[in-house]
Amino acid sequence: MGLIAAAGFAGAGLGWANGFIRRSFWEDVESPIGIGLSIFGLVGWLVLLGLSALTMRSGGQAPSRAARVAASVLVVLSAVVVLVACVVSIGWPEPASEYPLPPWNRA
């Protein structure tokens, strides 16, 4: 869910170039919807990640040390993978235009 949300940022045209920018891949009105859905997806991923960590660490009996370590490693690994995916999707350089415009006053 976190990876899909990270990909949604790129699909919505959200980027970073000395501040947040919006690239226009689709209709301008669709970009905020995609960004909102991606943020909702990240929040959902965080909730599911917390619930899964809680489930792995608790149970009918006291969790063993191996279960606690495995739960911690999986949570950290998931967080790192989603964070890297978000940074890559937002920080990816803008593709070159197929139809570059001439500089102003030079046409």
Side-chain angles (χ1 to χ4, degrees):
M1 189 169 190
L3 292 177
I4 292 171
F9 286 129
L14 184 65
W16 182 266
N18 296 325
F20 282 108
I21 60 169
R22 282 190 12 211
R23 301 174 181 135
S24 57
F25 296 132
W26 314 107
E27 294 288 329
D28 287 336
V29 295
E30 292 178 359
S31 182
I33 295 170
I35 293 169
L37 287 174
S38 295
I39 291 171
F40 181 73
L42 282 178
V43 170
W45 165 76
L46 281 173
V47 168
L48 291 175
L49 183 64
L51 290 174
S52 66
L54 185 65
T55 301
M56 287 188 287
R57 292 188 65 126
S58 64
Q61 302 173 2
S64 66
R65 177 171 165 77
R68 288 192 310 266
V69 169
S72 300
V73 166
L74 289 174
V75 166
V76 169
L77 181 66
S78 178
V80 166
V81 167
V82 172
L83 179 66
V84 167
C86 284
V87 168
V88 166
S89 68
I90 292 173
W92 197 261
E94 189 168 2
S97 175
E98 293 181 21
Y99 305 105
L101 297 174
W104 290 104
N105 299 326
R106 293 183 148 212

